[in-house]
Amino acid sequence: MSTNDVTLGAKAGGKQTTMNQKRWTGLPYWLHGWVLPVIILALWEAASALGLVSDSALPAPSRIAEAFWKLCLNGDMAKHLSTSAIRAGGGFLLGGATGLLLGVFTGLGKWAESTLDPSIQMLRTVPLLAVIPLFILWFGVGEFSKILLIALGSFFPLYFHTHLGVRTADRKLYEVTRILQYSKLQLLTKLIIPAALPNILLGIRLSVGASWLLLAVAEMMGASAGVGYMIQDARVYAQTDIVFVGIILFALVGKLSDSAVRLVERRCLRWDNNYKG
């Protein structure tokens, strides 16, 4: 059997699998991930309607949707969400850019790796929640301390995966660049960055997720706006429905940002023919 026969057979098998999945479920493949959440929401709503769960502890999805709509109408939703997006974006850009540059730097040279990487790996094991008191003492509870905390959490995933991607580039390609007499800039832009790109994009996905996780923590220490502050304020006044609105917002925005990075990943890595399942 030739390679072309195997390739054509694999493509036909993939199409047949997709058709079978759509035939059995009656839904397009991209909707399969929504089946379980819809079932959970339906059961949750039914349990609330039948009085099986406490409305104050676990409000019905319809009540949470009503609270979300009210926040949108009075403008609080736009204010909190825009404030959180600026903080998360600023922290991610600061920490991600630093992690990317240091990851390339330590990955390229043995001296840089032996000098800097052990200290960075040691700092990576320190729980970020443990440094919050120091951040408050050093920088107060203003915007700078919040962005710096988010940047610190975003730094390590991108640094680690960038360093790994640079160090695992194929050694044979380096020999080819020597024969072609590439300059250091050409070596960086035409070999190192493309070879490390899958790892870099994975690091970006993890850093984006870390920035949203730490945003919730940062906004609960002396903030006056933001989704985390909205959750904290609602907890004080026992507004459980608004607490759920904030949690769902974190989940949705985190998922959207992750999907955006995955879209960039698919477009940038069209040449990558690794097995995808």
Side-chain angles (χ1 to χ4, degrees):
M1 182 180 293
S2 66
T3 305
N4 290 335
D5 293 337
V6 173
T7 304
L8 291 174
K11 290 181 178 179
K15 291 180 180 178
Q16 185 65 34
T17 301
T18 303
M19 290 176 63
N20 288 337
Q21 289 171 337
K22 187 172 181 180
R23 185 184 306 146
W24 283 108
T25 62
L27 294 172
Y29 181 74
W30 61 273
L31 281 177
H32 288 184
W34 291 97
V35 173
L36 183 60
V38 169
I39 293 175
I40 292 174
L41 288 175
L43 293 176
W44 183 358
E45 183 71 31
S48 297
L50 295 173
L52 299 178
V53 294
S54 172
D55 196 48
S56 59
L58 194 64
S62 57
R63 183 180 161 191
I64 296 172
E66 183 182 355
F68 174 82
W69 182 245
K70 288 180 179 178
L71 289 170
C72 291
L73 291 178
N74 61 24
D76 287 345
M77 180 62 66
K79 180 184 71 173
H80 292 310
L81 196 56
S82 60
T83 302
S84 294
I86 292 172
R87 286 173 182 154
F92 167 73
L93 290 176
L94 177 61
T98 307
L100 179 64
L101 293 176
L102 273 180
V104 172
F105 181 64
T106 56
L108 287 176
K110 291 184 178 180
W111 176 86
E113 182 182 23
S114 60
T115 304
L116 297 176
D117 188 64
S119 299
I120 295 175
Q121 295 296 342
M122 181 176 62
L123 291 174
R124 186 171 66 90
T125 61
V126 177
L128 291 177
L129 294 179
V131 303
I132 290 179
L134 286 178
F135 276 36
I136 295 175
L137 288 173
W138 292 344
F139 311 111
V141 293
E143 291 300 312
F144 182 70
S145 62
K146 295 178 179 60
I147 291 177
L148 198 61
L149 180 66
I150 296 169
L152 187 62
S154 302
F155 166 81
F156 292 108
L158 192 48
Y159 165 80
F160 178 76
H161 285 88
T162 301
H163 175 84
L164 179 65
V166 172
R167 297 299 289 177
T168 55
D170 193 346
R171 188 177 182 86
K172 295 178 182 178
L173 297 178
Y174 280 98
E175 301 297 332
V176 173
T177 58
R178 289 180 183 177
I179 296 173
L180 297 176
Q181 296 181 345
Y182 274 20
S183 64
K184 290 185 177 181
L185 181 61
Q186 288 177 318
L187 180 66
L188 180 65
T189 57
K190 295 185 178 181
L191 170 61
I192 295 173
I193 297 299
L197 194 57
N199 290 86
I200 291 174
L201 290 172
L202 176 59
I204 290 175
R205 285 182 61 191
L206 296 176
S207 293
V208 169
S211 66
W212 280 104
L213 289 174
L214 286 170
L215 174 68
V217 178
E219 289 185 337
M220 290 181 182
M221 56 177 197
S224 59
V227 179
Y229 165 78
M230 182 181 73
I231 294 175
Q232 182 76 356
D233 187 63
R235 182 192 65 83
V236 173
Y237 293 101
Q239 297 173 321
T240 315
D241 50 353
I242 297 181
V243 173
F244 272 98
V245 168
I247 293 172
I248 293 170
L249 274 177
F250 275 123
L252 289 177
V253 175
K255 173 59 180 173
L256 288 175
S257 57
D258 181 75
S259 298
V261 177
R262 292 190 67 179
L263 179 61
V264 174
E265 186 180 34
R266 285 196 295 269
R267 293 191 175 184
C268 292
L269 299 180
R270 291 177 179 175
W271 49 269
D272 188 8
N273 59 354
N274 289 334
Y275 178 68
K276 299 296 191 299

